[in-house]
Amino acid sequence: MFEEIFEEELARESVFRDVSKLLPDYVPKVLVHREEEFRWLTRIFKPVIENRTSQKVLITGSVGVGKTALAQKFGEKLVPAAKGRGMQLDYVHVNCRKQKTPYAVLVELVQHYNPRWPCRGLGPEKLLRMVTDWLNKHDGYLTLTLDEVDFFVQLNGPNLIYSLTRAVEEFGEPNRISIIAISRDPNFPRLLDTATQSTFMHNVLALDKYTAPQLVDILKYRIRESFKAGAVDEDTVRLIADIAARWGDARLALELLWRAGVLADEERVDVVLPEHARRAKAEAYPEVRREVLGELQLHEQLLLLALARKLKASKRAYALTGEVERTYRVVCEEYGEKPRGHTQLWEYIKRMEGLGIIDAQISRRIHRGRTQRISVPDVPVAMLEGELEKLLKARE
Ligand SMILES: Nc1ncnc2c1ncn2[C@@H]1O[C@H](COP(=O)(O)OP(=O)(O)OP(=O)(O)O)[C@@H](O)[C@H]1O
Ligand SMILES: [Mg+2]
């Protein structure tokens, strides 16, 4: 019996081509919309490669703006570039949130050079000494990324940073250790003494939040790597980008994309639709809006029900105001209510947008009059429809 299940599952079609390309640790081949930032890092590191000096940079930016991915991508290109110029340079990326103590960070660094080096019982200074000795002996260079360093310094104080900076100074020329610090908190350097502060403040790369169109491009690129051709609907991409753009967060966008794909597979359909994305959002970040829905006026509820039905039937991410108005009149008839006029409906839309229930945007297409595209980003429309029907029934 289990053999059958096994074979059946393996033979089953999937929307994914290579789901591993969506895993959090995977560094994509191209970081769309981060070319300028990559160029900036390259310029800053030019003297490292050409004059064998050291550099210190700080990369800041909020959740999911590509700080980690950018540093890793940079390391990936830096090492062979140095090698091509006869320089032995290693790139080591340490996540300081995972390696919670200076000891753990340095052990990871030491073990990059030799996994068999005994570290137990050695203090941080001694471990750092092992690394610097190795670099001196082998004429080696190191670019060390301290990722999520703000958490680390809050927890441990700035001593590790000082030791690393001092190790750099003790070498004199040439300096062998460069540091890329990554921090969500742009004010992180304030936790350091003024001297160290200023070394980092010289080279700060602040990554902006991604906009919705940028997220669309990022998603499209990642979809080509991970999904079968045509497996993700255009509207799904736009909807996911719009949701994630509220935080400018590419990680959220990719997570929703992945979850939506899994849901499509579970349903055994071959296209990922906007409803899958809404359900993915509700699953990952359930926001039950019953209280909010219950407080709406009768005709707001009717209008919202019309929107939910329209979106459900069309399988699209957005509906135009005219379409919703027509469905609204049908809904009013069903509930024996006299439909409200156009201007009044416009007010309802604005109010519900203010409450965060719907998302309304001026349509990109050209239409006469005030046409908007409306969407329900947060809840699956099937669920919304069910909730509203219950509420309306209770009213009767
Ligand atoms: N420009 C981009 N193109 C393609 N993928 C991207 C891009 N920017 C970020 N990503 C992807 O989005 C996810 C989040 O990026 P990353 O982990 O680098 O964010 P972060 O800024 O380090 O966030 P955090 O502060 O939470 O650590 C990763 O899977 C990364 O590969
Ligand atoms: Mg990160």
Side-chain angles (χ1 to χ4, degrees):
M1 183 206 179
F2 282 112
E3 289 82 354
E4 276 160 34
I5 296 178
F6 195 79
E7 290 306 322
E8 199 183 298
E9 282 304 307
L10 288 187
R12 194 150 122 187
E13 286 291 314
S14 167
V15 290
F16 295 109
R17 192 156 61 87
D18 182 357
V19 73
S20 73
K21 301 267 163 72
L22 288 176
L23 295 180
D25 288 342
Y26 172 75
V27 182
K29 276 206 205 76
V30 179
L31 292 173
V32 207
H33 295 296
R34 288 294 180 229
E35 294 85 359
E36 276 314 305
E37 289 82 356
F38 188 91
R39 190 181 296 282
W40 183 88
L41 275 176
T42 310
R43 274 208 304 274
I44 295 291
F45 270 78
K46 199 172 177 216
V48 172
I49 291 187
E50 289 188 343
N51 315 327
R52 311 209 163 184
T53 60
S54 68
Q55 273 296 17
K56 278 190 218 72
V57 290
L58 172 64
I59 302 179
T60 65
S62 64
V63 184
V65 294
K67 301 181 294 296
T68 301
L70 179 64
Q72 276 170 335
K73 178 59 65 190
F74 184 69
E76 204 181 288
K77 304 293 175 201
L78 179 67
V79 173
K83 194 166 180 205
R85 289 162 178 80
M87 184 180 183
Q88 150 74 35
L89 183 148
D90 283 293
Y91 174 82
V92 180
H93 191 112
V94 182
N95 186 314
C96 299
R97 183 126 69 151
K98 285 193 193 127
Q99 311 301 347
K100 289 192 177 63
T101 62
Y103 174 78
V105 169
L106 289 164
V107 166
E108 184 165 331
L109 178 57
V110 164
Q111 292 191 336
H112 167 83
Y113 289 101
N114 189 344
R116 284 190 308 256
W117 270 346
C119 298
R120 292 185 77 181
L122 299 180
E125 296 294 330
K126 187 85 182 109
L127 290 170
L128 189 56
R129 192 76 226 181
M130 281 163 86
V131 175
T132 53
D133 285 350
W134 191 97
L135 292 173
N136 278 332
K137 196 165 147 218
H138 296 83
D139 191 23
Y141 292 80
L142 164 70
T143 294
L144 174 64
T145 293
L146 300 171
D147 203 345
E148 315 217 32
V149 73
D150 42 348
F151 289 97
F152 182 87
V153 171
Q154 261 162 26
L155 210 67
N156 298 289
N159 280 341
L160 176 68
I161 313 280
Y162 295 158
S163 316
L164 284 165
T165 329
R166 225 177 303 126
V168 173
E169 281 156 11
E170 273 172 20
F171 279 125
E173 296 297 326
N175 291 323
R176 296 187 186 274
I177 304 179
S178 292
I179 296 174
I180 299 177
I182 299 181
S183 154
R184 270 188 208 160
D185 176 8
N187 296 321
F188 150 75
R190 289 202 195 134
L191 299 169
L192 308 173
D193 71 322
T194 27
T196 323
Q197 217 177 83
S198 73
T199 47
F200 278 111
M201 293 310 262
H202 275 312
N203 300 319
V204 182
L205 178 60
L207 301 186
D208 288 333
K209 292 180 177 172
Y210 291 118
T211 62
Q214 286 178 330
L215 288 168
V216 167
D217 295 338
I218 291 171
L219 283 166
K220 282 193 173 157
Y221 185 84
R222 304 289 302 255
I223 286 168
R224 259 180 266 143
E225 288 187 326
S226 51
F227 282 84
K228 287 181 184 150
V232 187
D233 184 85
E234 281 277 323
D235 260 15
T236 311
V237 178
R238 273 159 65 184
L239 183 66
I240 292 177
D242 279 349
I243 297 171
R246 290 193 219 159
W247 298 271
D249 180 350
R251 179 175 310 109
L252 173 62
L254 292 166
E255 185 193 334
L256 294 178
L257 176 67
W258 168 75
R259 279 177 187 272
V262 170
L263 288 170
D265 271 0
E266 276 172 17
E267 263 178 29
R268 301 175 187 236
V269 295
D270 49 15
V271 178
V272 187
L273 296 171
E275 184 71 346
H276 296 126
R278 290 185 202 105
R279 269 171 52 207
K281 169 70 168 55
E283 239 178 42
Y285 306 93
E287 278 164 292
V288 186
R289 286 262 164 79
R290 278 193 199 97
E291 326 79 54
V292 187
L293 295 182
E295 278 163 21
L296 295 178
Q297 300 166 35
L298 173 63
H299 278 266
E300 286 173 332
Q301 290 179 344
L302 293 169
L303 184 63
L304 194 56
L305 178 59
L307 174 62
R309 286 189 181 166
K310 182 73 214 165
L311 290 172
K312 191 173 143 192
S314 70
K315 294 196 177 357
R316 309 280 317 255
Y318 305 89
L320 298 175
T321 34
E323 303 172 333
V324 180
E325 213 175 315
R326 280 193 291 279
T327 317
Y328 162 76
R329 281 192 225 109
V330 178
V331 170
C332 283
E333 212 178 292
E334 183 186 327
Y335 285 88
E337 285 292 328
K338 188 170 169 289
R340 297 285 193 264
H342 187 77
T343 319
Q344 184 63 60
L345 294 183
W346 199 260
E347 290 299 318
Y348 293 152
I349 289 172
K350 270 205 298 210
R351 206 175 88 93
M352 289 195 283
E353 192 187 19
L355 290 170
I357 300 170
I358 62 172
D359 207 21
Q361 296 168 8
I362 300 294
S363 173
R364 284 178 209 153
R365 289 174 231 145
I366 301 155
H367 283 279
R368 267 174 299 134
R370 297 189 295 179
T371 298
Q372 287 196 317
R373 342 180 276 152
I374 325 178
S375 71
V376 182
D378 282 344
V379 239
V381 285
M383 200 163 107
L384 185 62
E385 186 189 24
E387 284 298 326
L388 285 165
E389 282 170 351
K390 256 188 267 168
L391 283 169
L392 286 164
K393 210 172 161 120
R395 264 182 192 262
E396 277 174 354

